[in-house]
Amino acid sequence: MLYPNYRKLCKFLALSLPLASSLQAALLCGPMLGPLEMREAKVWIQAENPSVVRVAYIDQASSKQHYSTPVETNPALGNTATVTLDGVEPGKTYDYQVELNGTLLPERYSFQTPVFFKDRTPPPTLRVAVGGAHYVVEDAFEPPYTILGGGYGIFSTILQNEPDMMIWAGNTAHIRESDWASQSGYIKRYSKARSVPELKNLIAQVPQYAVWSSSDYGIGNAGRYASTRAQAEASFEAFWPKPVEITSLEGVATRFRRADVDFFMIDVRSYRDDIPPPGDLPLILGDKQIEWLRQELIRSTATFKIIIAGAPILNPADSAVNLSYADGEHTKLLQMLRDERISGLFFISGGKYYGELTRLVHANSYNLHDLTIGPLTANPTEESDELNFFRMPGTTTTERHFALLDFTGPEADREITVRVLSMEGKELWNRSVKASQLQPVE
């Protein structure tokens, strides 16, 4: 909720809250830099108690100071709030601080808005960090004699590599059975996942984007008929602000652009029906979402079109985790991409506990690539248990890892370089794909 008279509101809260000291509550989690555009930025926070938050931000070059419109945290969603900074301009660096209930917190962070390069300069370089499953151990909710998460220093390693943005490819919270029954349970689990100290500086300085997968949603491979669907979606969106709301679709699908790259983040939960009645075929993406994607891809003028999903897109193995499980729909998706002669396609997927690069070879079109990213902090599987005939040799990754995608080169010769790195930053493997290799056959 927005408030025109900020000072009066803070005074009102001081009188109405049970303890005036709650107004001095620190942040529980955050701040997190969310979607970042040329003329707008979003900052997410979670407060300890109901609070009014705004963000002070200053242009480093001109020293001009701005304040966001104050926003009240949402007690029903863990006292989270997303603040919009609408005074930013392209290609500028800003320092920012969070203000809670009229008190400016001491921590200061910075971000740089994207450069407006169209018809002015060649596309800028872009570095994207990609991470998979994140699991935070909480003793009271763990199986005995088993540790299912760790290695949280990986977030410091990612920050040291100076990405321009970060994508989470699903399984960002790992909802437990104890959490499924209530909105509060979901919120507490997301709060725990966000509270890792090693994560703080990364999310405060690097724009964060996310899709969801099964462990963000709840029970197994649940989909559109899940009883807890509404609370799952409300919780995910409370912790992961979207770049844009797609009003024609259900769920969490969204899109955004950086440099000469369009990112399409698709939803593998909201339309899923993988145990349909007799005579019907399994669904994962749904006709409406595929049609939305088709129209967006056709209109895109980007050199690269990155499709991100919380489930492997090109892996042909018969597993409910993969999009190929909905065989008819999967075939329809790939045929659409061929028929519409979409150039520049590259896929990123999560939902697995190992990593690999899948390459689908076409006789009458260009080869498609799907980078499946394994766990950041969850336990990796020791080996792949699926027969993926399209896996590129040397790309199976069975330890905690992350990926860096660098988009580089002059306008006429752009390329993607994929590097997969260990927790400590050691390069495990790399591959490069030129934009010229992602063109439909004449």
Side-chain angles (χ1 to χ4, degrees), residues 134-142 172-180 182-195 215-216 235 239:
H134 175 42
Y135 190 104
V136 176
V137 173
E138 188 173 9
D139 290 341
F141 298 91
E142 305 302 321
T172 68
H174 279 84
I175 306 299
R176 321 285 210 269
E177 188 171 351
S178 57
D179 312 324
W180 293 343
S182 66
Q183 184 77 78
S184 298
Y186 274 84
I187 293 297
K188 289 175 182 177
R189 183 58 54 208
Y190 274 96
S191 299
K192 187 67 178 178
R194 188 62 55 84
S195 67
S215 293
D216 302 299
S235 303
F239 280 77

PDB file of all heavy atoms in Angstrom, residues 134-142 172-180 182-195 215-216 235 239:
ATOM      1  N   HIS A 134      18.731 -24.505  -4.252  1.00  0.00           N
ATOM      2  CA  HIS A 134      19.252 -23.885  -3.031  1.00  0.00           C
ATOM      3  C   HIS A 134      18.553 -24.515  -1.829  1.00  0.00           C
ATOM      4  O   HIS A 134      17.324 -24.499  -1.737  1.00  0.00           O
ATOM      5  CB  HIS A 134      18.973 -22.379  -3.091  1.00  0.00           C
ATOM      6  CG  HIS A 134      19.341 -21.621  -1.863  1.00  0.00           C
ATOM      7  ND1 HIS A 134      20.506 -21.844  -1.153  1.00  0.00           N
ATOM      8  CD2 HIS A 134      18.688 -20.598  -1.204  1.00  0.00           C
ATOM      9  CE1 HIS A 134      20.562 -21.010  -0.125  1.00  0.00           C
ATOM     10  NE2 HIS A 134      19.470 -20.262  -0.128  1.00  0.00           N
ATOM     11  N   TYR A 135      19.346 -25.071  -0.908  1.00  0.00           N
ATOM     12  CA  TYR A 135      18.794 -25.772   0.254  1.00  0.00           C
ATOM     13  C   TYR A 135      19.477 -25.249   1.504  1.00  0.00           C
ATOM     14  O   TYR A 135      20.704 -25.340   1.643  1.00  0.00           O
ATOM     15  CB  TYR A 135      19.024 -27.276   0.125  1.00  0.00           C
ATOM     16  CG  TYR A 135      18.284 -28.109   1.148  1.00  0.00           C
ATOM     17  CD1 TYR A 135      17.146 -28.822   0.785  1.00  0.00           C
ATOM     18  CD2 TYR A 135      18.723 -28.203   2.476  1.00  0.00           C
ATOM     19  CE1 TYR A 135      16.459 -29.599   1.715  1.00  0.00           C
ATOM     20  CE2 TYR A 135      18.040 -28.969   3.404  1.00  0.00           C
ATOM     21  CZ  TYR A 135      16.911 -29.663   3.023  1.00  0.00           C
ATOM     22  OH  TYR A 135      16.225 -30.418   3.940  1.00  0.00           O
ATOM     23  N   VAL A 136      18.677 -24.695   2.428  1.00  0.00           N
ATOM     24  CA  VAL A 136      19.207 -24.194   3.693  1.00  0.00           C
ATOM     25  C   VAL A 136      18.788 -25.140   4.814  1.00  0.00           C
ATOM     26  O   VAL A 136      17.596 -25.418   5.000  1.00  0.00           O
ATOM     27  CB  VAL A 136      18.711 -22.765   3.980  1.00  0.00           C
ATOM     28  CG1 VAL A 136      19.193 -22.296   5.350  1.00  0.00           C
ATOM     29  CG2 VAL A 136      19.207 -21.822   2.895  1.00  0.00           C
ATOM     30  N   VAL A 137      19.769 -25.642   5.527  1.00  0.00           N
ATOM     31  CA  VAL A 137      19.526 -26.601   6.611  1.00  0.00           C
ATOM     32  C   VAL A 137      18.881 -25.897   7.799  1.00  0.00           C
ATOM     33  O   VAL A 137      19.306 -24.813   8.220  1.00  0.00           O
ATOM     34  CB  VAL A 137      20.852 -27.254   7.034  1.00  0.00           C
ATOM     35  CG1 VAL A 137      20.654 -28.124   8.271  1.00  0.00           C
ATOM     36  CG2 VAL A 137      21.435 -28.073   5.889  1.00  0.00           C
ATOM     37  N   GLU A 138      17.818 -26.509   8.336  1.00  0.00           N
ATOM     38  CA  GLU A 138      17.162 -26.045   9.557  1.00  0.00           C
ATOM     39  C   GLU A 138      16.930 -27.267  10.434  1.00  0.00           C
ATOM     40  O   GLU A 138      16.088 -28.106  10.131  1.00  0.00           O
ATOM     41  CB  GLU A 138      15.843 -25.335   9.233  1.00  0.00           C
ATOM     42  CG  GLU A 138      15.229 -24.664  10.440  1.00  0.00           C
ATOM     43  CD  GLU A 138      14.003 -23.828  10.080  1.00  0.00           C
ATOM     44  OE1 GLU A 138      13.531 -23.914   8.928  1.00  0.00           O
ATOM     45  OE2 GLU A 138      13.516 -23.102  10.959  1.00  0.00           O
ATOM     46  N   ASP A 139      17.687 -27.370  11.508  1.00  0.00           N
ATOM     47  CA  ASP A 139      17.808 -28.623  12.252  1.00  0.00           C
ATOM     48  C   ASP A 139      16.486 -29.294  12.592  1.00  0.00           C
ATOM     49  O   ASP A 139      16.349 -30.511  12.474  1.00  0.00           O
ATOM     50  CB  ASP A 139      18.603 -28.380  13.544  1.00  0.00           C
ATOM     51  CG  ASP A 139      20.072 -28.085  13.268  1.00  0.00           C
ATOM     52  OD1 ASP A 139      20.538 -28.423  12.157  1.00  0.00           O
ATOM     53  OD2 ASP A 139      20.738 -27.521  14.145  1.00  0.00           O
ATOM     54  N   ALA A 140      15.496 -28.536  13.023  1.00  0.00           N
ATOM     55  CA  ALA A 140      14.238 -29.142  13.470  1.00  0.00           C
ATOM     56  C   ALA A 140      13.438 -29.771  12.336  1.00  0.00           C
ATOM     57  O   ALA A 140      12.473 -30.490  12.596  1.00  0.00           O
ATOM     58  CB  ALA A 140      13.387 -28.086  14.173  1.00  0.00           C
ATOM     59  N   PHE A 141      13.838 -29.521  11.104  1.00  0.00           N
ATOM     60  CA  PHE A 141      13.048 -29.987   9.964  1.00  0.00           C
ATOM     61  C   PHE A 141      13.836 -30.906   9.038  1.00  0.00           C
ATOM     62  O   PHE A 141      13.430 -31.151   7.899  1.00  0.00           O
ATOM     63  CB  PHE A 141      12.533 -28.779   9.166  1.00  0.00           C
ATOM     64  CG  PHE A 141      11.636 -27.884   9.956  1.00  0.00           C
ATOM     65  CD1 PHE A 141      12.155 -26.802  10.663  1.00  0.00           C
ATOM     66  CD2 PHE A 141      10.275 -28.132  10.041  1.00  0.00           C
ATOM     67  CE1 PHE A 141      11.334 -25.974  11.406  1.00  0.00           C
ATOM     68  CE2 PHE A 141       9.439 -27.313  10.791  1.00  0.00           C
ATOM     69  CZ  PHE A 141       9.970 -26.237  11.478  1.00  0.00           C
ATOM     70  N   GLU A 142      14.957 -31.446   9.508  1.00  0.00           N
ATOM     71  CA  GLU A 142      15.805 -32.294   8.667  1.00  0.00           C
ATOM     72  C   GLU A 142      15.659 -33.762   9.057  1.00  0.00           C
ATOM     73  O   GLU A 142      15.383 -34.077  10.219  1.00  0.00           O
ATOM     74  CB  GLU A 142      17.272 -31.879   8.809  1.00  0.00           C
ATOM     75  CG  GLU A 142      17.537 -30.406   8.529  1.00  0.00           C
ATOM     76  CD  GLU A 142      17.115 -29.975   7.151  1.00  0.00           C
ATOM     77  OE1 GLU A 142      17.300 -30.739   6.187  1.00  0.00           O
ATOM     78  OE2 GLU A 142      16.574 -28.851   7.012  1.00  0.00           O
ATOM     79  N   THR A 172      14.286 -22.862  -5.426  1.00  0.00           N
ATOM     80  CA  THR A 172      14.959 -21.793  -4.694  1.00  0.00           C
ATOM     81  C   THR A 172      14.731 -21.840  -3.188  1.00  0.00           C
ATOM     82  O   THR A 172      15.396 -21.111  -2.455  1.00  0.00           O
ATOM     83  CB  THR A 172      14.483 -20.421  -5.212  1.00  0.00           C
ATOM     84  OG1 THR A 172      13.100 -20.226  -4.845  1.00  0.00           O
ATOM     85  CG2 THR A 172      14.614 -20.319  -6.718  1.00  0.00           C
ATOM     86  N   ALA A 173      13.785 -22.670  -2.714  1.00  0.00           N
ATOM     87  CA  ALA A 173      13.459 -22.649  -1.286  1.00  0.00           C
ATOM     88  C   ALA A 173      13.384 -24.034  -0.650  1.00  0.00           C
ATOM     89  O   ALA A 173      13.627 -24.185   0.536  1.00  0.00           O
ATOM     90  CB  ALA A 173      12.126 -21.931  -1.065  1.00  0.00           C
ATOM     91  N   HIS A 174      13.030 -25.064  -1.378  1.00  0.00           N
ATOM     92  CA  HIS A 174      12.855 -26.419  -0.860  1.00  0.00           C
ATOM     93  C   HIS A 174      11.820 -26.499   0.266  1.00  0.00           C
ATOM     94  O   HIS A 174      12.135 -26.664   1.444  1.00  0.00           O
ATOM     95  CB  HIS A 174      14.183 -27.018  -0.417  1.00  0.00           C
ATOM     96  CG  HIS A 174      14.974 -27.574  -1.570  1.00  0.00           C
ATOM     97  ND1 HIS A 174      15.779 -26.787  -2.360  1.00  0.00           N
ATOM     98  CD2 HIS A 174      15.026 -28.817  -2.112  1.00  0.00           C
ATOM     99  CE1 HIS A 174      16.326 -27.528  -3.313  1.00  0.00           C
ATOM    100  NE2 HIS A 174      15.872 -28.759  -3.197  1.00  0.00           N
ATOM    101  N   ILE A 175      10.560 -26.364  -0.164  1.00  0.00           N
ATOM    102  CA  ILE A 175       9.434 -26.481   0.752  1.00  0.00           C
ATOM    103  C   ILE A 175       9.406 -27.885   1.349  1.00  0.00           C
ATOM    104  O   ILE A 175       9.538 -28.885   0.641  1.00  0.00           O
ATOM    105  CB  ILE A 175       8.113 -26.203  -0.001  1.00  0.00           C
ATOM    106  CG1 ILE A 175       8.176 -24.849  -0.718  1.00  0.00           C
ATOM    107  CG2 ILE A 175       6.924 -26.275   0.943  1.00  0.00           C
ATOM    108  CD1 ILE A 175       8.374 -23.665   0.171  1.00  0.00           C
ATOM    109  N   ARG A 176       9.264 -27.981   2.684  1.00  0.00           N
ATOM    110  CA  ARG A 176       9.200 -29.272   3.368  1.00  0.00           C
ATOM    111  C   ARG A 176       7.731 -29.656   3.599  1.00  0.00           C
ATOM    112  O   ARG A 176       6.828 -28.830   3.492  1.00  0.00           O
ATOM    113  CB  ARG A 176       9.913 -29.219   4.721  1.00  0.00           C
ATOM    114  CG  ARG A 176      11.189 -28.428   4.766  1.00  0.00           C
ATOM    115  CD  ARG A 176      12.383 -29.104   4.132  1.00  0.00           C
ATOM    116  NE  ARG A 176      13.606 -28.664   4.794  1.00  0.00           N
ATOM    117  CZ  ARG A 176      14.352 -27.627   4.419  1.00  0.00           C
ATOM    118  NH1 ARG A 176      13.993 -26.897   3.384  1.00  0.00           N
ATOM    119  NH2 ARG A 176      15.460 -27.301   5.072  1.00  0.00           N
ATOM    120  N   GLU A 177       7.518 -30.900   3.979  1.00  0.00           N
ATOM    121  CA  GLU A 177       6.159 -31.362   4.290  1.00  0.00           C
ATOM    122  C   GLU A 177       5.558 -30.560   5.426  1.00  0.00           C
ATOM    123  O   GLU A 177       4.343 -30.328   5.467  1.00  0.00           O
ATOM    124  CB  GLU A 177       6.174 -32.852   4.626  1.00  0.00           C
ATOM    125  CG  GLU A 177       4.789 -33.442   4.778  1.00  0.00           C
ATOM    126  CD  GLU A 177       4.798 -34.957   4.902  1.00  0.00           C
ATOM    127  OE1 GLU A 177       5.872 -35.565   4.699  1.00  0.00           O
ATOM    128  OE2 GLU A 177       3.734 -35.522   5.204  1.00  0.00           O
ATOM    129  N   SER A 178       6.395 -30.083   6.339  1.00  0.00           N
ATOM    130  CA  SER A 178       5.914 -29.266   7.451  1.00  0.00           C
ATOM    131  C   SER A 178       5.371 -27.915   6.989  1.00  0.00           C
ATOM    132  O   SER A 178       4.626 -27.255   7.720  1.00  0.00           O
ATOM    133  CB  SER A 178       7.061 -29.016   8.440  1.00  0.00           C
ATOM    134  OG  SER A 178       8.163 -28.405   7.769  1.00  0.00           O
ATOM    135  N   ASP A 179       5.719 -27.514   5.781  1.00  0.00           N
ATOM    136  CA  ASP A 179       5.355 -26.184   5.282  1.00  0.00           C
ATOM    137  C   ASP A 179       4.101 -26.188   4.416  1.00  0.00           C
ATOM    138  O   ASP A 179       3.489 -25.131   4.204  1.00  0.00           O
ATOM    139  CB  ASP A 179       6.505 -25.598   4.445  1.00  0.00           C
ATOM    140  CG  ASP A 179       7.856 -25.721   5.120  1.00  0.00           C
ATOM    141  OD1 ASP A 179       7.909 -25.595   6.357  1.00  0.00           O
ATOM    142  OD2 ASP A 179       8.861 -25.952   4.413  1.00  0.00           O
ATOM    143  N   TRP A 180       3.732 -27.356   3.868  1.00  0.00           N
ATOM    144  CA  TRP A 180       2.706 -27.420   2.829  1.00  0.00           C
ATOM    145  C   TRP A 180       1.337 -26.925   3.282  1.00  0.00           C
ATOM    146  O   TRP A 180       0.577 -26.382   2.486  1.00  0.00           O
ATOM    147  CB  TRP A 180       2.522 -28.857   2.348  1.00  0.00           C
ATOM    148  CG  TRP A 180       3.699 -29.411   1.622  1.00  0.00           C
ATOM    149  CD1 TRP A 180       4.740 -28.708   1.082  1.00  0.00           C
ATOM    150  CD2 TRP A 180       3.978 -30.785   1.371  1.00  0.00           C
ATOM    151  NE1 TRP A 180       5.646 -29.552   0.514  1.00  0.00           N
ATOM    152  CE2 TRP A 180       5.209 -30.845   0.672  1.00  0.00           C
ATOM    153  CE3 TRP A 180       3.312 -31.975   1.665  1.00  0.00           C
ATOM    154  CZ2 TRP A 180       5.777 -32.038   0.258  1.00  0.00           C
ATOM    155  CZ3 TRP A 180       3.879 -33.166   1.247  1.00  0.00           C
ATOM    156  CH2 TRP A 180       5.089 -33.210   0.553  1.00  0.00           C
ATOM    157  N   SER A 182       0.156 -24.535   5.156  1.00  0.00           N
ATOM    158  CA  SER A 182      -0.213 -23.165   5.510  1.00  0.00           C
ATOM    159  C   SER A 182       0.601 -22.147   4.727  1.00  0.00           C
ATOM    160  O   SER A 182       1.739 -22.418   4.318  1.00  0.00           O
ATOM    161  CB  SER A 182       0.006 -22.922   7.012  1.00  0.00           C
ATOM    162  OG  SER A 182       1.389 -22.989   7.326  1.00  0.00           O
ATOM    163  N   GLN A 183       0.006 -20.972   4.568  1.00  0.00           N
ATOM    164  CA  GLN A 183       0.739 -19.852   3.984  1.00  0.00           C
ATOM    165  C   GLN A 183       1.941 -19.501   4.855  1.00  0.00           C
ATOM    166  O   GLN A 183       3.038 -19.211   4.350  1.00  0.00           O
ATOM    167  CB  GLN A 183      -0.178 -18.634   3.852  1.00  0.00           C
ATOM    168  CG  GLN A 183       0.459 -17.437   3.161  1.00  0.00           C
ATOM    169  CD  GLN A 183       0.529 -17.592   1.661  1.00  0.00           C
ATOM    170  OE1 GLN A 183      -0.459 -17.410   0.975  1.00  0.00           O
ATOM    171  NE2 GLN A 183       1.701 -17.938   1.155  1.00  0.00           N
ATOM    172  N   SER A 184       1.750 -19.538   6.170  1.00  0.00           N
ATOM    173  CA  SER A 184       2.846 -19.225   7.083  1.00  0.00           C
ATOM    174  C   SER A 184       4.021 -20.176   6.904  1.00  0.00           C
ATOM    175  O   SER A 184       5.188 -19.762   6.984  1.00  0.00           O
ATOM    176  CB  SER A 184       2.359 -19.284   8.539  1.00  0.00           C
ATOM    177  OG  SER A 184       1.361 -18.329   8.778  1.00  0.00           O
ATOM    178  N   GLY A 185       3.714 -21.453   6.676  1.00  0.00           N
ATOM    179  CA  GLY A 185       4.778 -22.427   6.464  1.00  0.00           C
ATOM    180  C   GLY A 185       5.613 -22.102   5.233  1.00  0.00           C
ATOM    181  O   GLY A 185       6.855 -22.153   5.274  1.00  0.00           O
ATOM    182  N   TYR A 186       4.935 -21.785   4.131  1.00  0.00           N
ATOM    183  CA  TYR A 186       5.652 -21.393   2.919  1.00  0.00           C
ATOM    184  C   TYR A 186       6.531 -20.165   3.179  1.00  0.00           C
ATOM    185  O   TYR A 186       7.705 -20.135   2.790  1.00  0.00           O
ATOM    186  CB  TYR A 186       4.666 -21.067   1.797  1.00  0.00           C
ATOM    187  CG  TYR A 186       4.213 -22.257   0.977  1.00  0.00           C
ATOM    188  CD1 TYR A 186       3.171 -23.066   1.398  1.00  0.00           C
ATOM    189  CD2 TYR A 186       4.820 -22.543  -0.240  1.00  0.00           C
ATOM    190  CE1 TYR A 186       2.743 -24.147   0.648  1.00  0.00           C
ATOM    191  CE2 TYR A 186       4.397 -23.616  -1.011  1.00  0.00           C
ATOM    192  CZ  TYR A 186       3.359 -24.415  -0.566  1.00  0.00           C
ATOM    193  OH  TYR A 186       2.945 -25.484  -1.326  1.00  0.00           O
ATOM    194  N   ILE A 187       5.961 -19.156   3.825  1.00  0.00           N
ATOM    195  CA  ILE A 187       6.694 -17.914   4.059  1.00  0.00           C
ATOM    196  C   ILE A 187       7.917 -18.149   4.932  1.00  0.00           C
ATOM    197  O   ILE A 187       9.013 -17.632   4.666  1.00  0.00           O
ATOM    198  CB  ILE A 187       5.765 -16.860   4.694  1.00  0.00           C
ATOM    199  CG1 ILE A 187       4.686 -16.431   3.699  1.00  0.00           C
ATOM    200  CG2 ILE A 187       6.558 -15.664   5.187  1.00  0.00           C
ATOM    201  CD1 ILE A 187       5.203 -15.753   2.447  1.00  0.00           C
ATOM    202  N   LYS A 188       7.756 -18.955   5.965  1.00  0.00           N
ATOM    203  CA  LYS A 188       8.894 -19.238   6.847  1.00  0.00           C
ATOM    204  C   LYS A 188      10.005 -19.966   6.097  1.00  0.00           C
ATOM    205  O   LYS A 188      11.190 -19.718   6.334  1.00  0.00           O
ATOM    206  CB  LYS A 188       8.433 -20.065   8.050  1.00  0.00           C
ATOM    207  CG  LYS A 188       7.578 -19.273   9.039  1.00  0.00           C
ATOM    208  CD  LYS A 188       7.044 -20.155  10.149  1.00  0.00           C
ATOM    209  CE  LYS A 188       6.159 -19.365  11.104  1.00  0.00           C
ATOM    210  NZ  LYS A 188       5.573 -20.223  12.167  1.00  0.00           N
ATOM    211  N   ARG A 189       9.622 -20.854   5.193  1.00  0.00           N
ATOM    212  CA  ARG A 189      10.649 -21.570   4.434  1.00  0.00           C
ATOM    213  C   ARG A 189      11.388 -20.641   3.474  1.00  0.00           C
ATOM    214  O   ARG A 189      12.619 -20.693   3.353  1.00  0.00           O
ATOM    215  CB  ARG A 189      10.001 -22.728   3.654  1.00  0.00           C
ATOM    216  CG  ARG A 189      10.996 -23.584   2.886  1.00  0.00           C
ATOM    217  CD  ARG A 189      12.050 -24.202   3.780  1.00  0.00           C
ATOM    218  NE  ARG A 189      11.435 -24.949   4.862  1.00  0.00           N
ATOM    219  CZ  ARG A 189      11.980 -25.141   6.049  1.00  0.00           C
ATOM    220  NH1 ARG A 189      13.171 -24.619   6.305  1.00  0.00           N
ATOM    221  NH2 ARG A 189      11.349 -25.834   6.983  1.00  0.00           N
ATOM    222  N   TYR A 190      10.646 -19.776   2.790  1.00  0.00           N
ATOM    223  CA  TYR A 190      11.307 -18.812   1.907  1.00  0.00           C
ATOM    224  C   TYR A 190      12.200 -17.861   2.703  1.00  0.00           C
ATOM    225  O   TYR A 190      13.300 -17.502   2.257  1.00  0.00           O
ATOM    226  CB  TYR A 190      10.269 -18.016   1.112  1.00  0.00           C
ATOM    227  CG  TYR A 190       9.827 -18.693  -0.168  1.00  0.00           C
ATOM    228  CD1 TYR A 190       8.667 -19.464  -0.202  1.00  0.00           C
ATOM    229  CD2 TYR A 190      10.567 -18.568  -1.330  1.00  0.00           C
ATOM    230  CE1 TYR A 190       8.256 -20.098  -1.371  1.00  0.00           C
ATOM    231  CE2 TYR A 190      10.170 -19.183  -2.503  1.00  0.00           C
ATOM    232  CZ  TYR A 190       9.013 -19.944  -2.524  1.00  0.00           C
ATOM    233  OH  TYR A 190       8.619 -20.573  -3.683  1.00  0.00           O
ATOM    234  N   SER A 191      11.734 -17.448   3.877  1.00  0.00           N
ATOM    235  CA  SER A 191      12.543 -16.560   4.718  1.00  0.00           C
ATOM    236  C   SER A 191      13.850 -17.237   5.114  1.00  0.00           C
ATOM    237  O   SER A 191      14.922 -16.611   5.099  1.00  0.00           O
ATOM    238  CB  SER A 191      11.766 -16.168   5.982  1.00  0.00           C
ATOM    239  OG  SER A 191      10.591 -15.468   5.656  1.00  0.00           O
ATOM    240  N   LYS A 192      13.759 -18.509   5.478  1.00  0.00           N
ATOM    241  CA  LYS A 192      14.964 -19.246   5.865  1.00  0.00           C
ATOM    242  C   LYS A 192      15.939 -19.347   4.697  1.00  0.00           C
ATOM    243  O   LYS A 192      17.152 -19.162   4.861  1.00  0.00           O
ATOM    244  CB  LYS A 192      14.572 -20.646   6.359  1.00  0.00           C
ATOM    245  CG  LYS A 192      15.729 -21.446   6.936  1.00  0.00           C
ATOM    246  CD  LYS A 192      16.249 -20.827   8.224  1.00  0.00           C
ATOM    247  CE  LYS A 192      17.370 -21.656   8.831  1.00  0.00           C
ATOM    248  NZ  LYS A 192      17.904 -21.039  10.064  1.00  0.00           N
ATOM    249  N   ALA A 193      15.414 -19.611   3.515  1.00  0.00           N
ATOM    250  CA  ALA A 193      16.276 -19.727   2.335  1.00  0.00           C
ATOM    251  C   ALA A 193      16.958 -18.405   2.003  1.00  0.00           C
ATOM    252  O   ALA A 193      18.098 -18.386   1.529  1.00  0.00           O
ATOM    253  CB  ALA A 193      15.454 -20.208   1.142  1.00  0.00           C
ATOM    254  N   ARG A 194      16.285 -17.307   2.267  1.00  0.00           N
ATOM    255  CA  ARG A 194      16.813 -15.980   1.930  1.00  0.00           C
ATOM    256  C   ARG A 194      17.778 -15.460   2.993  1.00  0.00           C
ATOM    257  O   ARG A 194      18.499 -14.489   2.761  1.00  0.00           O
ATOM    258  CB  ARG A 194      15.624 -15.017   1.752  1.00  0.00           C
ATOM    259  CG  ARG A 194      15.920 -13.624   1.226  1.00  0.00           C
ATOM    260  CD  ARG A 194      16.515 -13.590  -0.161  1.00  0.00           C
ATOM    261  NE  ARG A 194      15.737 -14.267  -1.162  1.00  0.00           N
ATOM    262  CZ  ARG A 194      14.696 -13.759  -1.838  1.00  0.00           C
ATOM    263  NH1 ARG A 194      14.289 -12.530  -1.581  1.00  0.00           N
ATOM    264  NH2 ARG A 194      14.075 -14.472  -2.760  1.00  0.00           N
ATOM    265  N   SER A 195      17.815 -16.088   4.177  1.00  0.00           N
ATOM    266  CA  SER A 195      18.527 -15.530   5.329  1.00  0.00           C
ATOM    267  C   SER A 195      20.004 -15.893   5.406  1.00  0.00           C
ATOM    268  O   SER A 195      20.683 -15.477   6.347  1.00  0.00           O
ATOM    269  CB  SER A 195      17.839 -15.993   6.626  1.00  0.00           C
ATOM    270  OG  SER A 195      18.006 -17.400   6.797  1.00  0.00           O
ATOM    271  N   SER A 215      10.257 -27.949  -5.986  1.00  0.00           N
ATOM    272  CA  SER A 215      10.503 -27.709  -4.562  1.00  0.00           C
ATOM    273  C   SER A 215      10.121 -26.313  -4.107  1.00  0.00           C
ATOM    274  O   SER A 215      10.111 -26.026  -2.910  1.00  0.00           O
ATOM    275  CB  SER A 215      11.976 -27.983  -4.224  1.00  0.00           C
ATOM    276  OG  SER A 215      12.265 -29.358  -4.368  1.00  0.00           O
ATOM    277  N   ASP A 216       9.811 -25.418  -5.037  1.00  0.00           N
ATOM    278  CA  ASP A 216       9.224 -24.127  -4.681  1.00  0.00           C
ATOM    279  C   ASP A 216       7.712 -24.234  -4.563  1.00  0.00           C
ATOM    280  O   ASP A 216       7.068 -23.373  -3.967  1.00  0.00           O
ATOM    281  CB  ASP A 216       9.526 -23.074  -5.763  1.00  0.00           C
ATOM    282  CG  ASP A 216      11.002 -22.893  -6.000  1.00  0.00           C
ATOM    283  OD1 ASP A 216      11.694 -22.506  -5.061  1.00  0.00           O
ATOM    284  OD2 ASP A 216      11.455 -23.147  -7.136  1.00  0.00           O
ATOM    285  N   SER A 235       3.526 -16.939  -2.211  1.00  0.00           N
ATOM    286  CA  SER A 235       4.812 -16.936  -1.511  1.00  0.00           C
ATOM    287  C   SER A 235       5.961 -16.687  -2.473  1.00  0.00           C
ATOM    288  O   SER A 235       6.863 -15.881  -2.194  1.00  0.00           O
ATOM    289  CB  SER A 235       5.017 -18.268  -0.789  1.00  0.00           C
ATOM    290  OG  SER A 235       3.961 -18.532   0.099  1.00  0.00           O
ATOM    291  N   PHE A 239       8.577 -13.174  -2.685  1.00  0.00           N
ATOM    292  CA  PHE A 239      10.033 -13.183  -2.511  1.00  0.00           C
ATOM    293  C   PHE A 239      10.799 -12.965  -3.809  1.00  0.00           C
ATOM    294  O   PHE A 239      11.993 -12.689  -3.772  1.00  0.00           O
ATOM    295  CB  PHE A 239      10.468 -14.502  -1.849  1.00  0.00           C
ATOM    296  CG  PHE A 239      10.257 -14.512  -0.369  1.00  0.00           C
ATOM    297  CD1 PHE A 239       8.995 -14.690   0.166  1.00  0.00           C
ATOM    298  CD2 PHE A 239      11.323 -14.311   0.495  1.00  0.00           C
ATOM    299  CE1 PHE A 239       8.792 -14.682   1.540  1.00  0.00           C
ATOM    300  CE2 PHE A 239      11.125 -14.305   1.874  1.00  0.00           C
ATOM    301  CZ  PHE A 239       9.852 -14.488   2.394  1.00  0.00           C
TER     302      PHE A 239
END
